[in-house]
Amino acid sequence: MSATTAVEVAIRRFRFEAPEADLVDLRRRLQATRWPDKETVKDESQGAQLAKLQALVGYWGTDYDWRKVEARLNALPQFTTNIDGLDIHFIHVKSRHKGALPLLITHGWPGSVIELLKIIEPLTDPTAHGGSAGDAFDVVIPSLPGYGFSARPQAPGWNPDRIARGWNELMHRLGYEQYVAQGGDWGAVITEVMGRQAPAGLRGIHVNLAAAVPPDVEAALAGTGPVPAMSEQERAVFDALRAYRMSGYAGYFVALTARPQAVGYGLTDSPVGLAAFFLWHPGFANWSYGDDPADPKTKDEVLDDITLYWVTNTATSSGRLYWEHGGASPTSAAAIKTAEISLPVGVTVFPDDVYRPPESWARRAYRNLTYFHEVDRGGHFAAWEQPQLFSEEIRAAFHSLR
Amino acid sequence: MSPSTAGIATETAIRPFRVDVPEEQLVELRRRIDATRWPDRETVTDQSQGVQLARLLGLARYWSLGYDWRKVEAKLNALPQFVTEIDRLQLHFIHVRSRQPNALPVVITHGWPGSVLELIKTIGPLTDPGAFGGRAEDAFDVVMPSLPGYGFSAHPSESGWGPERIGSAWDVLMKRLGYTRYVAQGGDYGAVVTHAMGRQAPAGLLGIHVNLPAAVPLEVLPAVGGGPAPTGLSEKERAALDQVITAAMRDTAYSLMMGTKPQTIGYSLNDSPVGLAAWMLGHPGFNRWAYGSDPGQPTTDEVLDDITLYWLTSSPTSAARSYWENHGRSPLVAAAQMTVDISIPTAVSAFPGELYVAPESWARRAYPKLIYFHEAERGGHFAALEEPEIFSQELRAAFTSLR
């Protein structure tokens, strides 16, 4: 084996420590924020409200402590390895239970590995979290290229297909010949691509943002086709999707798809601009980001995620994934080509996610649907918001594939 | 005069206005430009991901080190500028009267990401046509207001300042200036406001001219959404449709964002001058601008004048809100602009570098009373800035029958 090859496949331990000067500069920028006028309405219909954002930023620039989440991350086994020319960061936690099923979990935008930290214990140590030893997983949680601690691609081409191939390479490099894959948001798109690619050893996938909108419904939503006949439940989902698309949710999606660099300058230079842009995502719509310890969606958790993007300067590189994907809707069965997935597929619908696909649509989209369940709580960031419930879903979804 | 009538007098008063930006604001702007935290370079070799890093770095360096705001400030202050309160908002405008006794009054409205600065080169040719190859009887008195939330006009603190309300305010302004018969002109958002005025048809408004016509007919919209194109399109119509499709796919991200969440995008634009520059240069009107190395207009200084005006007046968010107030109605689509309701004479100039070159056949269908249609030989989205003399000639020709 040549020395070069050895370096390329090497798996190196990873720790992150943000330079103190970067944190000082962040606080300086936050305190020097040049604020716009207040919105001219009494709700969020023009975007993040000034008073709410000022309160969050006031805390971010003074008492918020990045070192806490940094310590949480550094307490986990983190690694980097070079795949297809790019250093990929990942968390890798093995279960102490023999026969644990290896599970690759992919985050999305504007999330990160931080949204997945709370499910590591329930998945790797199920007996301490209401499960049995037979439910154990080894978990691998990579940072997407251009996100977090993974390197930022300097050339085009890091689209979901390439990332999916890279993920399979990663699992094999870790010695896993048989594994399953899971994701929501971009993680769902990449997981579905893996399902299409069906590399040897991938036994099945689970997604918590299904690409289940049928082509005829998609055409009706786009105004290029008639509204098809639907059941009452399907019609309700259709109406919700239509209202949702009218509401301007798509602005960030369209902007990042069309011009990630144009948007990126402001987000890279202005931490407040970055925060406002991220909080636009519908996944944060139900978040209070307050102080209530009973509400897991605290301002610290939101700021951990936003600060991760800031300190790694990945606002622009992460947005480029939208450009790479060319605007294909992550919820459209046709755009994601779900018909080409022959592997077993599990779907969990969380009620507060961006849409709630009915089982009938999921059955049309995935020809080998082995699990479908709509749970009673949780939203777009289900692993973050409801880690125990999310973990139970993963156990149930993959039970038949062990 | 009693105190109460004094109040009324103040409300309708027209006061002279001068621009004088405090020096510390210019120092602070340079400090922020110098402290810019930059993203990585784009991963492509063209503008397909947005303004390229090397170009923006070069522009930012000049903006900080070589650019002089005071020059354009002096240029503005050499013009008769005023403010007056209309509908409880203080509005800024430039008002230049022609020496010709029977000059036709015209209110000209700028758009986004423009300002009155995009229009000032037409003041000479319009007010003094004899000095610019025209005839004395083609002279105009020009009124160029800053849109609410833009430039030196006040920022609305409540919602409701949509095109209709702005259109009504412009009529109040013209009447307050003593003009009982006038015409209106606009491109970009200025065309949206001018269309609203055309629908309102206030007494005395003789006609309108737009250089961004709302001529796209309803039946081609499915094609813009990815569906099939209707059959029987002429060559020009097909070309225009292709331009609209391109614009919808590639160039409308900014309008969608500002139309739905102006506050969200506003935070970064108001806090980062480079972010603001990149955002404004992302407008398709600037697509072909070569950062000052092009032979024609605009120059680098002219572009920075405009961006700096937005920065210094802290108006990126309030300006973006005008899109939200427009409720996502496309400025290009006849039905969205309700052109069928425009019963007064309408004139259209189609500039070859515009977002789309409206075919005359579409313009005739869109505007019930089209009195003038002409394809100009040069010029783009910022026609008044790029080709002020051609633009002025278009206005003379368009309005000659209404004098």
Side-chain angles (χ1 to χ4, degrees), chain A residues 29 32 37 48 152 156 261 265, chain B residues 32 35 40 43 49 51 155 267:
Chain A
R29 285 175 186 267
D37 301 326
R152 306 188 294 261
Q261 193 80 14
Y265 291 106
Chain B
R32 283 182 184 261
D40 297 328
T43 58
Q49 294 180 344
V51 181
H155 300 178
Y267 289 106

Side-chain angles (χ1 to χ4, degrees), chain A residues 29 32 34-37 45-48 50 152 156 255 259 261 265 268-270 280 310 313 316 320, chain B residues 32 35 37-40 43 48-49 51 53 155 250 257 260-261 263-264 267 270-272 311 317 321 324:
Chain A
R29 285 175 186 267
R34 205 180 81 128
W35 293 97
D37 301 326
S45 61
Q46 293 180 345
L50 181 68
R152 306 188 294 261
R259 292 285 184 269
Q261 193 80 14
Y265 291 106
T268 302
D269 191 34
S270 165
W280 185 357
W310 180 265
N313 195 356
T316 307
R320 255 196 281 274
Chain B
R32 283 182 184 261
R37 204 177 82 125
W38 295 92
D40 297 328
T43 58
S48 62
Q49 294 180 344
V51 181
L53 180 68
H155 300 178
R250 192 194 61 194
M257 289 183 67
T260 57
K261 300 291 174 198
Q263 193 77 15
T264 292
Y267 289 106
N270 206 59
D271 194 36
S272 166
W311 177 265
T317 310
R321 235 186 305 271
W324 185 89

Side-chain angles (χ1 to χ4, degrees), chain B residues 117-364:
Chain B
L117 293 176
E118 69 178 284
L119 304 172
I120 57 180
K121 285 198 273 187
T122 65
I123 293 175
L126 289 174
T127 58
D128 188 12
F132 293 86
R135 302 170 308 166
E137 56 266 40
D138 288 328
F140 293 91
D141 281 1
V142 297
V143 178
M144 295 172 173
S146 295
L147 286 165
Y150 286 67
F152 306 108
S153 282
H155 300 178
S157 57
E158 57 185 39
S159 62
W161 274 98
E164 281 79 10
R165 188 158 168 191
I166 298 169
S168 303
W170 278 192
D171 182 59
V172 170
L173 173 62
M174 293 305 275
K175 305 267 162 77
R176 193 173 291 176
L177 291 171
Y179 295 129
T180 51
R181 299 171 75 250
Y182 68 97
V183 293
Q185 198 286 332
D188 196 84
Y189 205 89
V192 173
V193 171
T194 304
H195 284 132
M197 297 180 75
R199 293 193 304 271
Q200 292 163 346
L205 178 60
L206 306 177
I208 63 171
H209 173 267
V210 290
N211 56 306
L212 184 63
V216 176
L218 217 45
E219 79 265 11
V220 307
L221 288 189
V224 178
T231 52
L233 292 179
S234 71
E235 204 173 307
K236 276 196 168 180
E237 290 168 343
R238 180 69 231 187
L241 174 58
D242 287 342
Q243 289 172 323
V244 173
I245 290 171
T246 302
M249 280 171 38
R250 192 194 61 194
D251 295 331
T252 55
Y254 75 92
S255 61
L256 183 63
M257 289 183 67
M258 300 198 301
T260 57
K261 300 291 174 198
Q263 193 77 15
T264 292
I265 189 64
Y267 289 106
S268 65
L269 305 186
N270 206 59
D271 194 36
S272 166
V274 161
L276 177 64
W279 187 248
M280 291 172 72
L281 291 171
H283 188 278
F286 284 121
N287 265 358
R288 293 168 308 151
W289 184 55
Y291 293 75
S293 57
D294 15 19
Q297 307 295 346
T299 65
T300 300
D301 274 350
E302 284 172 333
V303 171
L304 287 176
D305 288 344
D306 189 51
I307 298 172
T308 309
L309 175 67
Y310 276 75
W311 177 265
L312 293 173
T313 54
S314 204
S315 52
T317 310
S318 50
R321 235 186 305 271
S322 60
Y323 281 68
W324 185 89
E325 291 282 1
N326 192 35
H327 305 296
R329 290 199 294 263
S330 167
L332 312 184
V333 177
Q337 295 298 316
M338 298 168 274
T339 54
V340 67
D341 295 334
I342 302 176
S343 55
I344 62 172
T346 304
V348 168
S349 295
F351 285 86
E354 184 54 279
L355 309 188
Y356 81 116
V357 182
E360 183 169 355
S361 55
W362 286 2
R364 293 231 164 265

